[in-house]
Amino acid sequence: MKTKQEQLYDLLCGDPHISNNEAAELLNISPGCARATKHKLAKKGLIKIVSPQEVEILEPYPENEPAGATLLKMEIYTEMVQTYMEDFREQTTFQDRLTVGREIRRVLDHM
């Protein structure tokens, strides 16, 4: 099953002038999510946002990573979260906990 990002990429390939609202409706997501996903595709260098209503396809969508690479990434992220959690528990001030907590959230976003 394709991810929402892959589905949006496919929509954009078929119609580079599709609006965020139209794409959102077709993918059953919010327009904001469609816009954010479009920006993620641009950040990856797969598309170029020419205007709010037009994109240019730059690269084909990459094939899925091999299972081994995905597993290795997950192991690394898990170890990072465990290390950050130890740091989080050792913090004595609220501000320090907040700072470490933000780092934990960043790692969790990639998992």
Side-chain angles (χ1 to χ4, degrees):
M1 184 171 169
K2 290 186 175 185
T3 65
K4 293 294 183 189
Q5 194 172 84
E6 290 171 301
Q7 292 173 16
L8 179 60
Y9 178 84
D10 290 345
L11 280 176
L12 294 171
C13 286
D15 181 4
H17 299 282
I18 192 167
S19 72
N20 292 331
N21 289 340
E22 292 169 327
E25 189 174 319
L26 290 169
L27 297 176
N28 198 28
I29 58 177
S30 71
C33 184
R35 185 174 41 261
T37 303
K38 189 187 286 187
H39 283 281
K40 286 180 185 177
L41 289 167
K43 188 175 177 182
K44 287 182 174 184
L46 300 175
I47 66 170
K48 176 182 176 185
I49 300 173
V50 179
S51 72
Q53 297 297 322
E54 182 181 3
V55 299
E56 179 182 329
I57 306 300
L58 300 176
E59 298 284 334
Y61 200 90
E63 297 294 321
N64 290 336
E65 296 178 358
T70 303
L71 182 60
L72 177 62
K73 273 181 153 179
M74 191 58 76
E75 288 174 4
I76 291 169
Y77 286 139
T78 301
E79 186 174 338
M80 289 173 71
V81 167
Q82 290 170 350
T83 302
Y84 274 128
M85 284 304 297
E86 290 172 15
D87 290 346
F88 181 81
R89 290 182 191 103
E90 292 173 1
Q91 300 307 312
T92 56
T93 68
F94 175 77
Q95 186 60 43
D96 291 341
R97 280 186 171 220
L98 190 61
T99 301
V100 175
R102 285 184 182 131
E103 295 301 318
I104 292 170
R105 286 183 55 209
R106 286 185 185 146
V107 173
L108 290 174
D109 285 343
H110 292 284
M111 292 179 81

